[in-house]
Amino acid sequence: MVRTGADYLKSLNDGRCVYIDGERVADVASHPAFAGAAKTIAGLYDMIADPAHHMTFYSPKTGEPVYKAYMIPRTREEQAEKRVAMKKSADATYGLMGRSPDHIANFLAGFAGASEVFNEGGGRFAENVVNFYEYARDHHLFLTYTIVHPQVDRSKPANQWENPYLACGVLEERKDGIVIRGAQMLATSGALTDYLFVSVISPLHPGDEKYAISLVVPMNARGLKLYVRRSYAVDKPSVYDYPLSTRFDETDALAVFEDVFVPWEHVFVYKNIELTNKQFFATPAHIYGNVQAQIRLTSKLQFIAGLAKKVAETTGIIKLPPVQGRLGELVSRVSVHEGLVLAAEASGTQNDYGQFVPNPRYLYSAMALQPKLYHDILFLVRELTGGGMLQVPSSYKDFLNPDTSHDIRRYIQSPGVPAEKRVQLFKLVWDLVGSEFAGRHHQYEMFYGGPPHVVKGQAFRNYGFEEADRLVETCLSSYSLEQNETF
């Protein structure tokens, strides 16, 4: 049976160790910091479980329906099926949950479909990858990851830090598994997930072998602790006033591993620097995961474009040619991103393992443009809204007090748009571009793919300069110093 929202919410009460505001959370599903986001994820599970949405395929192992995000695509048509299902999921959250159940499901599909890569580590690591992928797929698990060392001293590799176990590394090897100690960032949605995928995506160096790992840990593992950043959902007056903060704050956390035992069957890479990197790039895992991320961003950009148009319609400025031009500029940028995502799929090919892989040329170009694209689109929205986001009552309570309600309804309105609807719209826009929740999203999109030079470097390496080089060489060879005629 497909997991339901009720199943998911019940699973969160498993003894996991989550700290916020100096206190351990007794029940994640009901805590004000997590309840709204947990309910949103539960809604996604109910959506996936509903056959009317066509978001499942049949597990090759059990024959039961499972989420298409876990599909290992063999053809362009199967990749398109995945895209449609993941776009439905992204639309349901307006693209605001970067660590929905889709994301790591795609990494696992990339790993499992090219599991031979993990044989380079010896042992049963390839088998471990496939077995856990099938378990996660067939049990509809929700995973997130921590794949970056904490920001202690970026000028040195972790093995040269004063305490080598500030970053998560292998402390002890046992017959039945390993023990890990240290910390990793950034466990986005960690408090809401079933398992944590732990590895390192940034380059490792000789001496970093203890950190060269890839493994999974259940969120209620003994010794695993999450320290969550400040919640943007807590203390908000209402969903009406903060419609996004209260429902879509997936939270971010520092994951601390206090001598956590990991059985061998949950280990994919062990003390292998080269394979720690290859798991992401010699398999299509990094491409699959980031295709999902760009589909998610497409929904978010479309949502922002729709809000900008709605504001212009509400205030009447949409009739002005300069405003139509600015909206045209906004949607042109959104269309470029949409086109890159579709182009990656349309020009994808099958790899040596029989997996259909979207074209990295267009995927990494989209990722390289992502930080500036998001920044520029927010700026356009701010231009179009002007002071409208600031001219709103402090909370919904101003509508309920007879001493204030009359003025609010009289002075905060637009033609054909009553005050309740106008305030609702502008509070939504503020929560997307101006609130603390919005600030976190701006930072998230700026650094989603890592430091800017890293993402742009991937775009450079995957562009495929053959056509460009050929054109240049053809032009250069078409004339010479001897051919100095003028026309």
Side-chain angles (χ1 to χ4, degrees):
M1 294 294 293
V2 179
R3 189 183 205 181
T4 66
D7 295 332
Y8 164 71
L9 292 173
K10 184 178 179 180
S11 74
L12 294 176
N13 189 21
D14 60 0
R16 61 189 60 198
C17 186
V18 179
Y19 285 94
I20 190 169
D21 294 329
E23 296 182 355
R24 182 169 177 175
V25 177
D27 181 7
V28 168
S30 63
H31 190 283
F34 310 106
K39 186 177 179 181
T40 296
I41 297 296
L44 288 180
Y45 273 112
D46 283 336
M47 182 179 177
I48 294 165
D50 186 346
H53 293 294
H54 305 289
M55 297 174 72
T56 60
F57 72 109
Y58 292 109
S59 166
K61 187 173 184 178
T62 68
E64 294 292 324
V66 292
Y67 186 26
K68 284 181 180 177
Y70 275 104
M71 180 187 290
I72 300 173
R74 304 296 179 184
T75 65
R76 184 174 290 104
E77 291 73 24
E78 288 183 344
Q79 181 62 35
E81 281 186 49
K82 284 189 61 150
R83 170 175 50 79
V84 170
M86 292 187 297
K87 183 63 164 59
K88 290 178 181 179
S89 175
D91 283 351
T93 63
Y94 314 104
L96 293 167
M97 301 198 84
R99 293 295 178 273
S100 64
D102 315 57
H103 190 59
I104 308 303
N106 276 277
F107 278 84
L108 292 177
F111 291 160
S115 61
E116 295 92 328
V117 171
F118 293 85
N119 280 326
E120 296 180 21
R124 298 174 56 189
F125 295 126
E127 184 180 348
N128 290 349
V129 166
V130 173
N131 287 343
F132 185 80
Y133 158 76
E134 292 179 343
Y135 177 78
R137 177 196 66 197
D138 295 344
H139 289 82
H140 316 282
L141 295 188
F142 179 11
L143 288 88
T144 191
Y145 52 33
T146 52
I147 54 176
V148 179
H149 288 164
Q151 287 186 341
V152 176
D153 185 351
R154 288 289 193 247
S155 70
K156 300 176 183 177
N159 73 79
Q160 295 179 19
W161 293 351
E162 183 177 354
N163 181 345
Y165 286 102
L166 292 176
C168 181
V170 178
L171 178 70
E172 180 185 353
E173 178 180 335
R174 299 179 183 174
K175 184 177 180 179
D176 54 348
I178 62 175
V179 176
I180 57 176
R181 176 186 289 180
Q184 293 282 87
M185 58 182 284
L186 193 59
T188 300
S189 283
L192 304 170
T193 60
D194 299 302
Y195 274 77
L196 191 60
F197 170 59
V198 183
S199 192
V200 181
I201 197 168
S202 50
L204 295 172
H205 307 85
D208 283 336
E209 284 78 10
K210 67 166 63 71
Y211 314 114
I213 54 177
S214 174
L215 51 88
V216 289
V217 179
M219 294 311 303
N220 64 347
R222 177 182 240 174
L224 172 58
K225 298 183 286 187
L226 292 185
Y227 291 94
V228 181
R229 62 149 167 82
R230 182 181 177 277
S231 166
Y232 307 140
V234 172
D235 298 330
K236 296 299 184 289
S238 69
V239 175
Y240 178 86
D241 290 302
Y242 288 91
L244 306 180
S245 300
T246 53
R247 297 183 293 162
F248 304 107
D249 184 20
E250 55 192 352
T251 68
D252 311 283
L254 177 72
V256 173
F257 303 88
E258 195 171 83
D259 298 357
V260 175
F261 173 73
V262 184
W264 282 118
E265 57 263 30
H266 283 171
V267 178
F268 309 151
V269 177
Y270 181 64
K271 289 186 175 182
N272 190 317
I273 290 175
E274 182 181 3
L275 189 53
T276 300
N277 180 264
K278 288 182 71 173
Q279 67 178 330
F280 295 112
F281 300 105
T283 78
H286 196 260
I287 291 176
Y288 284 177
N290 283 291
V291 164
Q292 182 277 329
Q294 297 308 307
I295 292 169
R296 187 271 314 165
L297 182 59
T298 297
S299 293
K300 192 175 187 178
L301 297 176
Q302 291 172 338
F303 178 54
I304 295 173
L307 274 180
K309 176 174 175 282
K310 185 74 170 178
V311 166
E313 289 172 339
T314 299
T315 59
I317 60 173
I318 199 167
K319 300 172 185 177
L320 305 177
V323 172
Q324 293 175 7
R326 295 300 272 166
L327 286 170
E329 181 181 349
L330 190 159
V331 297
S332 294
R333 297 184 188 208
V334 175
S335 295
V336 166
H337 186 271
E338 294 170 344
L340 288 170
V341 172
L342 293 175
E345 179 183 298
S347 61
T349 56
Q350 196 174 63
N351 67 9
D352 293 341
Y353 305 105
Q355 297 162 292
F356 180 81
V357 185
N359 191 335
R361 172 175 179 168
Y362 301 108
L363 170 65
Y364 291 121
S365 292
M367 291 177 65
L369 294 174
Q370 180 175 351
K372 191 170 190 307
L373 172 66
Y374 193 74
H375 172 83
D376 290 349
I377 285 177
L378 290 188
F379 183 81
L380 286 169
V381 173
R382 286 180 175 275
E383 269 193 333
L384 290 168
T385 53
M389 291 187 292
L390 307 179
Q391 185 195 298
V392 291
S394 57
S395 86
Y396 73 97
K397 296 178 182 179
D398 287 315
F399 282 108
L400 305 181
N401 185 343
D403 294 334
T404 58
S405 176
H406 177 74
D407 285 339
I408 298 299
R409 295 180 189 280
R410 181 176 183 181
Y411 294 111
I412 307 181
Q413 59 167 302
S414 290
V417 182
E420 294 93 329
K421 292 296 184 181
R422 180 184 166 110
V423 171
Q424 179 189 32
L425 172 63
F426 278 85
K427 281 184 174 287
L428 173 57
V429 176
W430 175 256
D431 210 9
L432 186 67
V433 306
S435 67
E436 195 170 13
F437 174 87
R440 179 265 179 190
H441 271 264
H442 197 168
Q443 193 77 359
Y444 178 88
E445 302 299 356
M446 283 180 63
F447 293 97
Y448 166 75
H453 73 276
V454 171
V455 184
K456 291 175 183 178
Q458 289 171 329
F460 167 76
R461 289 187 294 276
N462 286 279
Y463 175 71
F465 276 94
E466 295 84 2
E467 297 168 50
D469 291 344
R470 185 174 65 252
L471 287 170
V472 171
E473 294 305 323
T474 300
C475 182
L476 287 172
S477 64
S478 69
Y479 65 97
S480 66
L481 181 63
E482 289 74 25
Q483 295 171 299
N484 55 7
E485 304 95 343
T486 58
F487 297 93

